[in-house]
Structure formats: structure tokens, C-alpha cells
Amino acid sequence: MSLPHAILTALLEKPSSGLELTRRFDRSIGYFWSATHQQIYRELGKLERSGRIRALPSQQPARGRKKEYEVLPAGREELSAWVARPEDPRQIRDPLLLRMRAAAVVGAPGLDAELRRHLELHRRQLAEYLEIEERDFPPGRSSEEDRLRHLVLRGGIDLENFWIGWLTRALDTAPDAASASDAPESAGRFPGEEPEPGRSAG
């Protein structure tokens, strides 16, 4: 349900056409909730049919004009209810973590290069976030809206710092080409996971 709520949020910030919304998703909202252009246009249609948004009147001829949408009271009510609704944190599902677990079983040839590639990507993303922070949140901007938006950005910055630290540790500790035969038996289990009956704890 998060995509329609992301669209409602964006339209409450600024009434926009579908094209403008897709550009905003590419520039900002997409950093933490991505969507394709087709998904955005599809959700706009659903929100309009449900009475949560409407297309603004336009003085331009209908042919070739871009519909600009605004949020109706029902849409604001839905967004307010969603903000207050309890929702559990989502588990991390990152393929790199699963590949690290697999490497403990089959060995890790080439994994070092992939870890370094991911590290560089996260460093680039961090640099981009820091540029946005410097540009959009200079000292003195302290309104409630700015504070909450800055917190969202800080969440992204902190997450990139986490991955940079984790990947740096992984590169320092994980062997580049450990073979499955060299891996200890306990490497196939998560911490606290019990060994199978009849097998030693390794």
C-alpha cells in the first residue's frame, strides 16, 4: 500500500502532473520508495477513481495538455490514517547477504571484487546524499516540515554509513577465495543455530 501513500504525500507537497510526479520520484522520493512510470500512472488512475485525488481544471485545450492532480479530503484522511497505523519493520532482503552465506559453503572466488564494487556504490550514494543535505538543509531551516524531511535524508545517510562500515569489515575479514573444504562446519549456520543431530558443533 505504500506507493499510493507516497503519491498522496507528493501531491500534498505540490499538485503535479503524472510526468512531474515521475520526475520527482526519480529525483527524491525514489531514493527511499522507487516506482516505474507505469506504476505511478496506474496508481494515479486508481486514486482518482476512488475519490482521493482529482484532476485540476485547466485553461489549455484538452488535447495534449498534462493533467495536474490535487489531493481531495478523502485522500488526506487516508494518508493521515496510514501515518498513524502500526506497521512492523521489514526484514532486510539483500542478495549480497545471502551470497555471503553461500560463500561460506562453496567458497568465495571473486567475492572480494564484488564487495569492493558495492563499497564504491555506497560511497557514491553517500556523497550524493551529503550534497543534497548541504543544498537543501542549510543552517537555520528549522520548520517542522524541514525537520521531518531532513530526518528522512539522515536515515539514508546513516544507512549508507552502515553499509560502508559493514563492507569495509567484510573486506578485512572475509577470505577472497576460501574453498568449501576450508570453511569450518559452523560456517553454514547463523549464530545460535543448532547443528543437526549426530553432527558435532564444529
Side-chain angles (χ1 to χ4, degrees):
M1 287 294 291
S2 292
L3 177 56
H5 297 110
I7 291 173
L8 288 171
T9 300
L11 290 177
L12 280 170
E13 291 174 343
K14 179 186 176 184
S16 304
S17 67
L19 180 59
E20 289 168 340
L21 268 179
T22 59
R23 288 172 177 165
R24 290 173 66 191
F25 266 76
D26 288 342
R27 289 196 312 266
S28 57
I29 297 173
Y31 284 123
F32 55 89
W33 194 268
S34 60
T36 65
H37 296 186
Q38 291 83 357
Q39 288 172 324
I40 291 170
Y41 278 99
R42 188 162 54 244
E43 287 298 334
L44 283 171
K46 291 179 182 178
L47 288 167
E48 187 174 21
R49 289 191 296 273
S50 68
R52 290 185 170 92
I53 66 172
R54 69 166 183 169
L56 288 169
S58 173
Q59 302 300 321
Q60 298 178 3
R63 188 186 182 114
R65 73 174 174 86
K66 300 182 183 68
K67 274 189 183 180
E68 194 170 81
Y69 296 92
E70 69 172 359
V71 178
L72 295 171
R76 180 180 283 273
E77 289 173 9
E78 167 59 28
L79 189 61
S80 295
W82 179 73
V83 167
R85 195 176 303 155
E87 187 170 348
D88 292 338
R90 294 192 177 189
Q91 292 183 328
I92 295 177
R93 296 184 63 184
D94 192 299
L96 183 61
L97 299 178
L98 183 57
R99 289 162 71 187
M100 291 286 285
R101 170 105 183 216
V105 181
V106 300
L111 185 60
D112 182 80
E114 181 67 352
L115 291 172
R116 293 184 187 281
R117 188 178 73 86
H118 275 249
L119 179 58
E120 178 58 27
L121 290 172
H122 283 290
R123 283 173 172 163
R124 289 180 191 172
Q125 188 64 76
L126 175 61
E128 188 171 346
Y129 284 160
L130 292 174
E131 286 179 8
I132 293 172
E133 183 179 42
E134 183 178 2
R135 182 192 69 210
D136 294 348
F137 300 100
R141 290 190 61 171
S142 57
S143 70
E144 182 71 6
E145 288 185 355
D146 285 335
R147 186 177 67 83
L148 293 175
R149 289 171 183 155
H150 194 188
L151 278 172
V152 173
L153 179 60
R154 286 303 314 180
I157 290 170
D158 291 345
L159 188 58
E160 294 306 321
N161 277 318
F162 160 77
W163 280 114
I164 289 168
W166 184 86
L167 286 161
T168 301
R169 288 193 300 275
L171 284 163
D172 288 342
T173 60
D176 180 34
S179 66
S181 60
D182 292 336
E185 189 177 359
S186 60
R189 303 191 303 273
F190 283 124
E193 187 176 355
E194 293 298 325
E196 295 178 18
R199 295 181 65 181
S200 68

